[in-house]
Amino acid sequence: MPFTDWLKNRTQKTQEAANKRAVPDGIWSKCTICGKTIFQKDILNNFHVCPECGHHFGLSGHERVMMLLDDGSFSATEEDLWPKDPLGFIGSKPYRQSLNNAIETTGRREAVTTGFGRIKGNKVGFGVLDFRFIAGSMGSVVGEKIARLFEAATSERLPVITVVSSGGARMQEGVLSLMQMAKTAATVEQHNQAGLPYISILANPTTGGVLASFASLGDIIIAEPKALIGFAGPRVIEQTLDEKLPKGFQTSESVLNHGMVDMIVPRDELRETVGRLISGLSPVSSDQNLGDQVV
Amino acid sequence: MSRRYYIDFERPVVEMEDQLEELKKLPEAHKPDIIKEIKFLEDQITKLKKRVYKNLTAWQQVQMSRHPDRPDFVRYLDLIFDDFIELHGDRTYGDDLAVIGGLAKLGEQNIVVVGQEKGKDTHDRLRRNFGMPHPEGYRKAIRLFKLAGKFNLPLITIIDTPGAFAGVGAEERGQAQVIAKCLSTLSSLPTPTIAVNIGEGGSGGALAFGVCDRVFMLENAYYSVITPEGCAAILWQDKEKAPEAAEALALTAKKLLKMGIVDGVIKEPLGGAHRDPKSTAGKIGEILKKTLGDLLSKPVDELVALRYERVRQFGVFSDRQESEIIT
Ligand SMILES: [Zn+2]
């Protein structure tokens, strides 16, 4: 079965990506990609990007909010949603244990943060998936919060911005996770039919069921540099086909070449770019924000 | 010896059926003793079949769903629909043979039917990539979904795939993108839609055909976020643990009905759909006609709104941390 192989490898790959994201503690750090020793402060001051090789380290939802939204403009929504274990899933370890570990290590109750804020003065709905929480995978809570975000943005006539980093649908909630793909896609479609802009930002890595649902439905899709972006993982495909993969396969640069994203934007330019895009998508003067036009 | 394919757990049934065949072929088959013996064996087989097939494990059902003799989409296309006119191509790149679609009649009703096709024999399966569509297949499907919407033709989709194909070309031509587009297109399509899962419902590649007003499954079909083998490989680094994974994933028709993911389970003959494709097709046809009648009585706007509500309510979550609830 080719599928089994790719899924297995996808997990390995996402695990590697998770390892790569961590900037080690201490004043001096060694970049996990280029191996250069760097002042940790230099990485932090550089949007968590290695000043030597440009590797974009992973970010939490909070860090994303700080980086993209106007200071103090963000207010989170739906903080009362907690994950459940609907199947009583026990794999190599019980799902409930994975959940509790993730809650403990991240201080978050799920892989998703949603809310409303402003980008360069424009009021927007904002959603982030955090890879540190069970590989940013989408189960019922992630799906529900994304769905509610789009619904609220539709009724308030606001654009939506999402930043995702995810291994895909969350296996431990079985077919319920699969259905989150349908659910999120349906809410994006309503938002779309209301004529409202959706900008989807893909960070390293974005794969599987999250890429194959809401994250691919943006009016504009932006990739961070050198992110892994694909439906199935690279090594799996390599095994399936028994041939070497093209150089740079499934990197942001390659998916841009193949027409899958609009642009690659380095992190330090992301806020500026998104702000300009939202203004540019509005038929009215760019200084106006969409939210205030509707009473 | 039988040359029929059988799954390990079916062996006792198949062996007994072979014995029966042998008996029937004997020159003395008409003699009272042998007739009695045949009758006895037939009763035994019925009993044995009940024992073997009535309580299949999740994994056994997955095996049944992949049975090489299991009727494919084309078989049902012949048995259920009339006047099929196949429509080819995605208008962009190619014609994916893992997806078949076109115009047809269900009774008197004109419809559009689109399904995933695994192939009927080895040669056909290779051509059809074992039912694993490329982006072309999904783009063809989207084209036909929209055709149905434009002409107010009810849409019937048939799901039977281990999953969307994982390959270089598939990635480069936007596998994730087209699956997402299938989901959003179906979610708002202005016409009645019904999906039937006749075998394998493998992940996003299957769901791409499944965002419909009503979703039905054959008794031995499965529907899952990941294949049991894939799940086993991740959890235990061991594909041999697929049976445990199948159990954990709650992927059987019966469980999915209970969870409200599907609207109905269509019974199969004892021993699986391949033992009587005609009667299985008859049941599918009946349920399609009945369901379509219900759907056609509603205004399209209402259908689309209800379809949205249907997918919108999927998900299980809590307003408290689980560990606080369960000690
Ligand atoms: Zn570096």
Side-chain angles (χ1 to χ4, degrees):
Chain A
M1 288 300 303
F3 241 60
T4 61
D5 295 332
W6 76 251
L7 283 160
K8 182 180 173 186
N9 281 288
R10 192 175 80 188
T11 316
Q12 282 173 3
K13 196 78 193 170
T14 46
Q15 198 52 53
E16 282 167 22
N19 295 340
K20 278 178 195 170
R21 80 172 297 284
V23 182
D25 288 335
I27 299 168
W28 291 92
S29 296
K30 209 174 193 168
C31 171
T32 42
I33 300 300
C34 67
K36 297 247 170 67
T37 305
I38 308 144
F39 244 139
Q40 200 175 55
K41 221 173 70 191
D42 289 344
I43 297 181
L44 296 181
N45 290 341
N46 197 34
F47 298 88
H48 292 252
V49 174
C50 171
E52 292 293 329
C53 71
H55 177 71
H56 284 53
F57 293 99
L59 294 175
S60 69
H62 178 69
E63 287 164 331
R64 285 286 177 193
V65 166
M66 300 295 284
M67 210 162 273
L68 271 172
L69 300 190
D70 299 351
D71 278 350
S73 71
F74 183 72
S75 68
T77 52
E78 312 296 358
E79 284 302 307
D80 56 340
L81 287 185
W82 290 85
K84 271 184 97 129
D85 177 20
L87 307 185
F89 195 96
I90 299 188
S92 43
K93 73 174 157 195
Y95 177 39
R96 191 166 294 126
Q97 193 187 321
S98 309
L99 281 173
N100 287 337
N101 289 350
I103 291 168
E104 217 169 279
T105 54
T106 61
R108 305 280 317 151
R109 58 198 71 180
E110 251 296 354
V112 63
T113 301
T114 56
F116 289 85
R118 287 177 189 275
I119 294 184
K120 311 270 320 167
N122 301 282
K123 195 171 181 202
V124 297
F126 188 66
V128 187
L129 295 193
D130 183 348
F131 197 84
R132 294 172 310 159
F133 197 106
I134 317 186
S137 55
M138 177 161 65
S140 296
V141 171
V142 172
E144 183 67 18
K145 288 187 75 171
I146 294 292
R148 290 188 189 182
L149 173 69
F150 277 95
E151 283 180 333
T154 303
S155 66
E156 289 181 42
R157 299 207 56 81
L158 292 175
V160 173
I161 318 296
T162 62
V163 187
V164 303
S165 173
S166 171
R170 186 174 298 167
M171 191 173 66
Q172 294 93 329
E173 291 183 29
V175 81
L176 286 166
S177 297
L178 186 67
M179 293 304 143
Q180 303 311 307
M181 293 173 63
K183 183 162 104 182
T184 56
T187 56
V188 175
E189 176 64 6
Q190 279 213 337
H191 185 258
N192 172 49
Q193 293 201 349
L196 299 165
Y198 169 32
I199 299 172
S200 172
I201 301 165
L202 312 177
N204 183 50
T206 302
T207 57
V210 166
L211 187 65
S213 63
F214 71 93
S216 277
L217 295 171
D219 296 298
I220 290 166
I221 305 178
I222 298 173
E224 284 203 331
K226 292 179 189 163
L228 170 74
I229 297 167
F231 179 63
R235 244 175 304 153
V236 165
I237 298 170
E238 200 165 40
Q239 276 185 359
T240 313
L241 300 186
D242 202 22
E243 65 180 70
K244 272 267 165 261
L245 294 173
K247 205 167 179 293
F249 180 60
Q250 289 183 324
T251 56
S252 304
E253 294 70 21
S254 158
V255 297
L256 177 72
N257 282 338
H258 284 95
M260 296 305 145
V261 298
D262 290 279
M263 60 188 89
I264 297 171
V265 180
R267 207 170 269 167
D268 58 345
E269 295 168 20
L270 209 44
R271 188 164 166 263
E272 186 67 33
T273 306
V274 172
R276 283 176 54 205
L277 285 169
I278 297 169
S279 299
L281 287 170
S282 165
V284 194
S285 154
S286 59
D287 300 330
Q288 288 272 349
N289 86 66
L290 282 170
D292 289 347
Q293 288 162 30
V294 181
V295 184
Chain B
M1 268 309 290
S2 167
R3 258 183 269 152
R4 278 187 295 152
Y5 178 93
Y6 59 86
I7 307 163
D8 283 349
F9 71 84
E10 296 183 286
R11 194 194 188 109
V13 176
V14 173
E15 280 178 354
M16 217 183 265
E17 283 176 337
D18 286 348
Q19 277 179 37
L20 179 67
E21 287 311 306
E22 295 290 314
L23 267 186
K24 282 180 172 170
K25 270 188 241 157
L26 287 178
E28 304 87 358
H30 60 281
K31 291 189 176 162
D33 277 7
I34 306 289
I35 288 172
K36 222 171 118 189
E37 184 64 22
I38 286 174
K39 178 81 183 60
F40 174 76
L41 210 48
E42 280 172 346
D43 288 349
Q44 288 303 108
I45 288 170
T46 309
K47 276 186 203 154
L48 184 63
K49 271 165 84 175
K50 272 189 190 150
R51 211 165 58 229
V52 170
Y53 293 114
K54 277 275 167 157
N55 296 299
L56 295 179
T57 64
W59 176 240
Q60 285 170 336
Q61 277 190 289
V62 170
Q63 289 178 302
M64 292 286 276
S65 78
R66 296 170 176 167
H67 198 292
D69 297 336
R70 194 169 174 85
D72 53 347
F73 170 41
V74 166
R75 191 75 195 277
Y76 289 125
L77 199 49
D78 287 343
L79 291 169
I80 300 171
F81 304 99
D82 298 312
D83 302 342
F84 179 61
I85 305 171
E86 186 169 2
L87 302 171
H88 291 274
D90 71 342
R91 301 293 188 272
T92 302
Y93 183 86
D95 185 38
D96 188 343
L97 300 183
V99 171
I100 293 176
L103 308 177
K105 272 193 156 73
L106 177 69
E108 291 305 304
Q109 176 68 50
N110 283 335
I111 56 139
V112 170
V113 59
V114 188
Q116 293 153 344
E117 173 57 36
K118 287 167 130 183
K120 61 176 184 302
D121 52 37
T122 309
H123 174 71
D124 198 32
R125 278 176 199 133
L126 281 167
R127 270 179 359 122
R128 301 192 183 278
N129 200 31
F130 301 89
M132 293 182 281
H134 280 74
E136 300 77 82
Y138 291 109
R139 274 195 298 262
K140 171 161 74 177
I142 292 167
R143 185 170 81 82
L144 298 178
F145 296 165
K146 286 184 173 166
L147 190 83
K150 177 174 177 182
F151 295 103
N152 301 312
L153 296 167
L155 172 71
I156 291 165
T157 66
I158 303 292
I159 296 169
D160 192 14
T161 180
F165 188 63
V168 174
E171 293 286 329
E172 289 178 345
R173 300 196 294 277
Q175 192 69 290
Q177 172 70 224
V178 293
I179 290 172
K181 260 297 188 267
C182 280
L183 304 178
S184 63
T185 304
L186 283 179
S187 77
S188 60
L189 199 72
T191 195
T193 59
I194 308 172
V196 185
N197 178 346
I198 59 168
E200 290 196 79
S203 195
L207 180 71
F209 281 36
V211 187
C212 294
D213 296 321
R214 299 283 185 279
V215 180
F216 297 98
M217 276 176 88
L218 286 187
E219 193 179 357
N220 291 313
Y222 80 87
Y223 204 174
S224 183
V225 66
I226 182 171
T227 58
E229 290 90 339
C231 180
I234 290 169
L235 291 180
W236 296 286
Q237 289 75 47
D238 182 5
K239 284 185 216 168
E240 300 299 313
K241 291 257 168 73
E244 283 93 323
E247 203 60 56
L249 286 165
L251 44 65
T252 62
K254 208 192 260 175
K255 285 201 173 146
L256 294 170
L257 181 67
K258 220 167 145 189
M259 289 163 71
I261 303 291
V262 298
D263 302 289
V265 176
I266 301 165
K267 274 198 84 70
E268 294 183 28
L270 212 52
H274 57 285
R275 283 180 175 261
D276 192 349
K278 254 192 181 158
S279 82
T280 311
K283 286 199 182 110
I284 298 173
E286 248 169 65
I287 208 153
L288 283 177
K289 280 176 197 161
K290 188 186 166 295
T291 309
L292 203 50
D294 293 347
L295 295 177
L296 283 166
S297 71
K298 293 193 174 102
V300 164
D301 289 355
E302 192 183 327
L303 280 182
V304 174
L306 288 170
R307 191 184 310 144
Y308 182 83
E309 287 310 312
R310 187 183 181 281
V311 291
R312 187 61 191 82
Q313 42 97 23
F314 290 136
V316 175
F317 36 80
S318 177
D319 57 3
R320 283 175 292 169
Q321 187 170 6
E322 275 283 85
S323 55
E324 291 170 8
I325 304 162
I326 296 143
T327 48

